[in-house]
Amino acid sequence: MTHVIGSACIDVKDGACVLCCPVDCIYEGQRTLYIHPDECIDCGVCISACPVQAIYEDRRLPSDQANFLAINKEFFEPQVSGLGAPGGACDIAKPVCDHPVVVAWPVARTPP
Ligand code: F3S
């Protein structure tokens, strides 16, 4: 099991989750952050730290966020960031890039 960052993080990137993660498994892209599914120890500390409730346990993902399980996983694969499993985000130059779904995600408009 792992935790998953969903769409509410896109263009917010508060960063509180990174500061509280005990294993440094949350990696930064340009528009959102991603939890490494193999490095996450499933502690759940990040859930309450996020001010926009963007983080879920994988087994409790709402249906409208279900694709973010794959998005968080695929971000680390060769065809996206190619990061693999570096064992911690602190030494990674950031931001790296984003998953194609996040790249194409509509930019929220703020009222004039
Ligand atoms: Fe994003 Fe929430 Fe972390 S907005 S950077 S998942 S604290």
Side-chain angles (χ1 to χ4, degrees):
M1 291 182 290
T2 184
H3 283 67
V4 174
I5 294 181
S7 63
C9 181
I10 296 174
D11 297 331
V12 176
K13 295 176 66 177
D14 176 81
C17 56
V18 174
L19 298 177
C20 70
C21 177
V23 294
D24 194 26
C25 72
I26 305 176
Y27 294 75
E28 185 173 359
Q30 293 188 21
R31 296 184 65 192
T32 191
L33 279 76
Y34 305 83
I35 294 179
H36 198 298
D38 298 327
E39 296 178 357
C40 175
I41 59 170
D42 213 30
C43 71
V45 172
C46 55
I47 291 178
S48 58
C50 178
V52 293
Q53 291 83 48
I55 306 176
Y56 304 90
E57 293 178 66
D58 57 357
R59 61 189 177 277
R60 295 189 178 167
L61 268 171
S63 58
D64 67 344
Q65 298 291 302
N67 59 335
F68 278 84
L69 180 61
I71 289 169
N72 278 249
K73 179 176 186 291
E74 291 168 1
F75 173 72
F76 297 95
E77 296 176 351
Q79 66 272 26
V80 185
S81 73
L83 285 175
C90 65
D91 292 331
I92 303 298
K94 51 188 158 185
V96 181
C97 62
D98 273 308
H99 187 281
V101 171
V102 174
V103 171
W105 200 266
V107 175
R109 295 179 189 270
T110 52

